[in-house]
Amino acid sequence: MDLGLKGLKAILVGANGGIGRVVAHVLSAEGCDIAICGRSQDKVDNVLSEVAASGVKTYGEALDVTQVDAVPAFVDKAAEALGGCDIFISFTSTNLGEDTDAAWEAVIQADILPMRRGIAAARPHLAKSDNAAIVCFSSTGAVEEFMGVQPYNALKAAVMNYSSSLAQALAGEGIRVNCITPGPVMTEDGPWPKIQAAMPDFYNATLANMPSGRFTTGEELAKAVAFVVSPACKAMTGANIVVDNGYTKRTQF
């Protein structure tokens, strides 16, 4: 099936590694022009060189997403460099794993506000697109108990609500908004290889809760994202799509 992504412009915040990097690969393979940012210029340059092999236009820069003006400025420069914006996704995230003021502040500053600021900056560019799509990233930690009381889980639940509200508010502008809720995802440069080495008991307990006996791969998740943002999925907006390889056990209405 042709997803209709060829020639579309994707702006990806925090895609210099992990899930974001794999999404950049999959979208570029489908013919999307790609703009990314991240903390490390070396990593940004590496991902850009990888996706450029698909023959697409690229743009990237290193920045600190916790700075108020950083993400909006990047979005505007990326839209200018690519010639527009059809797809916007923010991947930035952090998790201190504790219920403290500092942990709440860290998630808000590194995860929630970059997403909100990026969407606000992308909105006028997306409004000019015939295939505008936003994806907000949540987590299965928002829907079932995971690693105890912590702000990451609570604030990822808020992302679901925010995404749903945005879908209603922006539908009249032709902008679709959906939420992707992954379970544990294995990427070569993501957190789970480090967890496997440093916390083998926790890693093995998590793996034991996978009915398939394996983690979701980054490419599997990225392909789901590619479909959701594609013109082939144009009727879907306001949805929360769980991609977790059966990790959560709730009935998903």
Side-chain angles (χ1 to χ4, degrees):
M1 178 174 60
D2 181 4
L3 297 180
L5 286 165
K6 185 175 178 61
L8 298 188
K9 322 295 183 182
I11 297 179
L12 311 177
V13 175
N16 66 335
I19 292 169
R21 176 188 178 196
V22 184
V23 170
H25 286 179
V26 169
L27 290 180
S28 64
E30 292 290 331
C32 281
D33 296 328
I34 301 291
I36 70 165
C37 68
R39 286 177 292 183
S40 164
Q41 188 66 56
D42 288 345
K43 289 184 177 181
V44 168
D45 290 343
N46 181 55
V47 176
L48 291 180
S49 67
E50 292 169 350
V51 301
S54 297
V56 300
K57 188 183 299 184
T58 64
Y59 175 80
E61 61 180 274
L63 53 86
D64 179 357
V65 299
T66 66
Q67 298 298 309
V68 173
D69 297 328
V71 172
F74 162 71
V75 169
D76 286 340
K77 286 185 284 185
E80 181 178 0
L82 297 184
C85 176
D86 304 289
I87 297 161
F88 177 83
I89 311 173
S90 179
F91 298 94
T92 64
S93 189
T94 192
N95 183 6
L96 274 62
E98 59 190 35
D99 184 21
T100 63
D101 283 2
W104 280 87
E105 185 69 20
V107 178
I108 289 170
Q109 292 295 332
D111 189 320
I112 304 302
L113 287 178
M115 176 193 68
R116 193 215 69 78
R117 291 168 182 154
I119 290 171
R123 181 174 172 178
H125 302 291
L126 290 164
K128 299 174 185 176
S129 170
D130 293 329
N131 296 287
I134 295 169
V135 163
C136 299
F137 262 84
S138 183
S139 165
T140 53
V143 299
E144 289 189 358
E145 194 283 330
F146 184 67
M147 295 181 68
V149 179
Q150 54 179 309
Y152 177 84
N153 295 342
L155 289 168
K156 282 300 188 182
V159 169
M160 294 180 188
N161 180 279
Y162 185 65
S163 175
S164 177
S165 298
L166 275 177
Q168 294 296 314
L170 302 186
E173 299 177 27
I175 301 172
R176 297 188 299 113
V177 186
N178 291 291
C179 186
I180 297 287
T181 297
V185 177
M186 181 64 75
T187 63
E188 62 180 358
D189 55 354
W192 283 100
K194 298 174 185 176
I195 292 171
Q196 184 178 18
M199 305 168 63
D201 290 344
F202 175 67
Y203 175 89
N204 290 330
T206 303
L207 183 60
N209 276 323
M210 295 286 191
S212 62
R214 66 177 184 85
F215 282 70
T216 302
T217 69
E219 187 174 12
E220 288 167 339
L221 177 61
K223 287 179 177 179
V225 173
F227 175 67
V228 169
V229 300
S230 76
C233 196
K234 206 161 187 176
M236 182 185 286
T237 193
N240 177 46
I241 303 100
V242 178
V243 186
D244 70 347
N245 220 346
Y247 181 70
T248 55
K249 306 303 185 284
R250 66 188 181 124
T251 300
Q252 296 170 16
F253 290 105

